[in-house]
Amino acid sequence: MPASKLPTLDEPKAGRLTIAYAPDETTDIVENPPRFTWLPVIEDEAHYVLRISTDPEFPAKSTQVYANVPLNFLTPDAPLAAGTHYWSYAVCDAKGAPTTTWSTTRSFTVAEGLPETPLPNRKERFSNVTKEHPRLWMTPDRLKDFTKAVKADSNHCAWSIFYEKSVLPWMDREVMKEPAGYPNHKRVAPVWRQTYIDLQEAWYAIRHLAIGGKVTGNAEQTQRAKEWLLEVASWDPMGVTSRAYTDEWAYRVTNALAWGYDWLYDVLSEEERQTVRAALLERTRDIAEHAISNAKIHLFPYDSHAVRSVSLTLIPACIALLGDDEEDEARDWLHYCVEFLFTVYSPWADNDGGWAEGTNYWMMGMAYLIDAANRLKSYTGIDLYQRPFLQATGDFPLYCKAPNTRRSTFGDDSTQGDLPGIKTGLNMRQFAGVTGKGAYQWYCEENLRLNPGTEMAFYNWGWWDTNFDEMVFQTDFPVVEATPPEDGLRHFKGIGWVGVQHAMADPDNHIQFVFKSSQFGSISHSHGDQNAFCMSAYGEDLAIQSGHYVAFNSSMHRNWRRQTRSKNAILINGKGQYAEKDKSKAMRATGKILAAEEHDDHIFIKGDATPAYQSLSPEVTLAEREIYFVRNSYFVIIDKVDAETPVTVDWLLHANNPFELGKSSFRNTGERAGFYGQVVWSEAGKPEITQETDFPDVDPADYEGLPVSTFLTARYPAATRHRIATLLVPYRLDAPKRIFNFMDDQGYDADLYFSDADENTFKVVLKKLANT
C-alpha cells in the first residue's frame, strides 16, 4: 500500500507509569547498540518494523530494518557505528511491510568505545542449545566433568558442605503436603510467612536431593526427590499455591517443579514426566500470561512482583521446558524474558548501578537476576553481565548500605534492623567475579565476617540456601582478591540517591551518610522520603529510618514506615509527602538531586523535594535541603521552605535511643557512638523541641518484641519563608574531644557549645562554615 494511503500511527503519549520512547537526543547512551522502546499500539498482537539510519531520510543503502518485531522493544543483534543515528517504527503485516505511517523520527548519538552488548536474534538465539537434561546450572557435558571432579575431591567447589548440610537432611524430612491456605482465605502475615518458608523448603528438598542423587549415583536420594516432586506436581495449579492466591508461593512451587523435572528427567517414567510437565506448564503459563498479558510489564514496567517473576521463575521454568511442550509455548515465553532483561530491565535501575526500591530490594532483585543470568549463560551462552548496569550495580550497596550498618538507608527492609542479609554479600561476590572489582569482594568478606550464624534467619533461609549458592558460584566464576573500598560519594543520578562513605574499611572511623531525593517518588517499596537522610558513624546507626518492615500493608508499614513522619525529613503544616496506594500520585510525589559534589574539604549535596510536598500541601512553592559534610567530621543541614501562606515546619530526627534536650540543642548516645545537634539559625524564630518514643497510629501487635525508636521534633512557628540551619556532629564514645576539633579550628570555646548562651556566636560559626 502506498505510504500516502496508510493509516496514521497515533503514538500514545508516555506517562510516568509507562515505558518511555527511547533512545532520543536526551538519552544517556552507555552501551552499543542502544535499547529501543516505544509505547505499543492498542492491538495486543501487533507486530512492528523498526528502521535505524545515519540519514533522517532513511535511504535504503544506509538503513537497517528489523521487521516483524513482536514486542514494543528491541535490542539489535549488532552494534552500531559511532555517530548520530535516526530511528522510527511502524505497525507491520506478517511479511514485515508497514501497515501504518512511520512514527516520529527520533535521533541519538553513539559514542566511540562503548561496551558492545548486542542480543542474538530469535532465529539464532537457542539454535545450539542441548535438548538433553539437565539444563539448569549444569548441562550433561559439564555434569560429567563435575561428577568426576567430586569423586576425586569431595570438597571440590564446596560440594561436601552442600552435600552434608543441604542434601542429607532432606532424606529424613516428611514429604510436604499441599498447604491449607489462609483461614477463610483471608491473608494473614504469620500464615503467609510460614507457608512461604515451607514452599521454599519444598524447592530445596527437590532440587538438592535430585542433584545429590545425580552426582553421587545414590538411588535412595533420587527416589526421595521423586516422592517430593510427584507430591508437589499433584497439587491444584489453580488452588492455594496458584499465582492469583499468593504469587510468592506460586513462584516457589513452579521453581521446585522446574528443577525436579529437569534433574530427574532421566529417572522419571514417561507417565511421570507427563504429570510433572503438565503441572509445570500450567503454572508457568499462568505466571507468564499474567506478566505479559495482564500486568503488561512491557507497557507498565513498575509492577515489582510481575517483573521479578521473569528472573525468579519464568527463566528457569522455560529453560526446563524448552522443546518439551507440544505447543512450544515455553520458547516464546523465554524469548520474551530474554528480550525484557536485555532491553527494559530494570525499570528500578539507573546506568550508575542504583536501584530505586532500596538496598534490600536490590538484594532480592539482584539475587534472582544473578540466578537467571547464570542459567542463561551456562545453557545458551547469552551473557547479561556485560550490560553496564550490571558492571556498576555493586556500587549501590557499597555506598548506600555498608556491611556494618542496619537502619541507615531507605526503602522496605525485611532484616528488621539486623545487618545486611548475607545474600547482599554473596551478590557482591558474584559481581566481583564478573567485574574483577576487589572492593565488591571486600564487601562480601566483611558481610560474612559480621554475620556468622544468620544463615537460617527468615530473610536468608526464606529465600536462599547459601550452601547451594556457594557451590554454584565456585563452579562458574573466580574468587577475586579483596581490596579496600574508596572513600567519597556516589551519585546514582537515575534514582536520586547519594551515598557518602568515609573510612568504610576502618570501623573505628567509619561514617556513612545517605541522602535521597528521587524522581520515583513513593511508588512500590519506596517511601515518602524525598530530601530525607540517614547517618551512621563509628559502627553504630545514629540518624535512622524508623520502624520495622513486618509485612507489606501492615499498619506499621502503611501508617508509619511509608510515611514522611518516620524519616529524618521535615513536615510542612504537619503534613509530609504522598505515600499511599495510588501509583500515579505516588510517582508524582518526586524529588530531584540538584548537586552532589566533592570539594577539597567538604562534600555538598542539594535536593529539591518541592513536588513531593506539594502532593499534600499545594501552598508550598519551595522545599529544598542542602547538606555540607565538612572535613569528614560533621554535617551542616540547611532547609529552605517557601509557601504562599504561612506554614509551620517540623524538623524530624529519628534515633534508636531517647535524646537529651536543650533549648536549641540535643544529644543522642548509643553503645559505641553518639551525636550532638544544634539549631544554629532559624529565620522564622526559635523552635520548640520535643521527643516521643512511640510508633503513633500503629497496632502494637505489629512490633511486639521489637525495639521502639525515638523521634525528635523541632517545630518552627508559621511563616511564609523558612531558612533553618542545623549542625550534626557524630562522635565516638571513647574519643569525645574529637567533637570539638572543628570548633577549635574556628577559635570557639567548645565548653559553651551546649549552654545555649551565645546564639550570635553560632551564627558567626555558621557563616565561617559556609565560607569554607
Side-chain angles (χ1 to χ4, degrees), residues 417-433:
D418 288 346
L419 293 167
I422 55 179
K423 191 62 175 180
T424 301
L426 297 181
N427 286 353
M428 292 292 277
R429 181 190 53 186
Q430 174 74 55
F431 290 122

Side-chain angles (χ1 to χ4, degrees), residues 82 98 145 187 190 201 270 275 336 386 389 392 412 452 490 574 598:
D145 293 339
R187 178 170 174 151
E201 290 185 335
E270 184 55 38
T275 297
Y336 178 96
Q386 299 310 308
F389 163 70
D412 288 337
R490 288 293 185 275
E598 290 189 76

Side-chain angles (χ1 to χ4, degrees), residues 114 149 607:
L114 293 179

Side-chain angles (χ1 to χ4, degrees), residues 67-68 112 122 184 188 275 395 549 580 594 628 646 714 747:
N68 261 322
E112 294 276 5
R122 289 192 172 197
N184 298 318
V188 291
T275 297
D395 281 1
Y549 183 41
E580 304 302 329
L594 301 179
Y628 299 83

Side-chain angles (χ1 to χ4, degrees), residues 245-264:
Y245 195 86
T246 300
D247 56 3
E248 292 283 13
W249 296 0
Y251 298 159
R252 276 138 192 86
V253 174
T254 306
N255 269 288
L257 292 171
W259 281 85
Y261 176 77
D262 188 45
W263 277 80
L264 296 172

Side-chain angles (χ1 to χ4, degrees), residues 338-351:
V338 170
E339 289 162 7
F340 184 88
L341 292 182
F342 257 82
T343 312
V344 180
Y345 192 85
S346 169
W348 307 112
D350 71 359
N351 292 332

Side-chain angles (χ1 to χ4, degrees), residues 9 25 31 41 46 64 75 103 138 156 205 210 270 272 321 345 382 435 472 483 531 555 579 623 664-665 726 758:
L9 179 62
E25 62 276 2
E31 57 190 320
V41 297
Q64 174 70 49
T75 296
S103 70
M138 293 283 185
H156 174 70
E270 184 55 38
E272 290 169 336
L321 286 167
Y345 192 85
I382 295 172
T435 66
V472 170
T483 56
N531 275 11
S555 71
S664 61
S665 64
T726 309
D758 192 352

Side-chain angles (χ1 to χ4, degrees), residues 463-533:
W463 279 267
W464 306 282
D465 181 312
T466 56
N467 300 314
F468 175 76
D469 294 341
E470 177 71 28
M471 177 181 66
V472 170
F473 174 81
Q474 289 195 27
T475 63
D476 292 348
F477 295 92
V479 176
V480 173
E481 183 178 355
T483 56
E486 296 179 355
D487 288 353
L489 70 77
R490 288 293 185 275
H491 178 195
F492 301 96
K493 301 180 184 67
I495 65 165
W497 286 50
V498 179
V500 177
Q501 297 289 346
H502 169 66
M504 196 189 324
D506 180 8
D508 289 337
N509 292 294
H510 174 221
I511 296 176
Q512 170 180 290
F513 187 89
V514 185
F515 183 81
K516 177 183 176 184
S517 202
S518 175
Q519 52 269 57
F520 282 86
S522 53
I523 195 172
S524 186
H525 294 286
S526 296
H527 301 164
D529 50 11
Q530 315 322 318
N531 275 11
F533 68 87

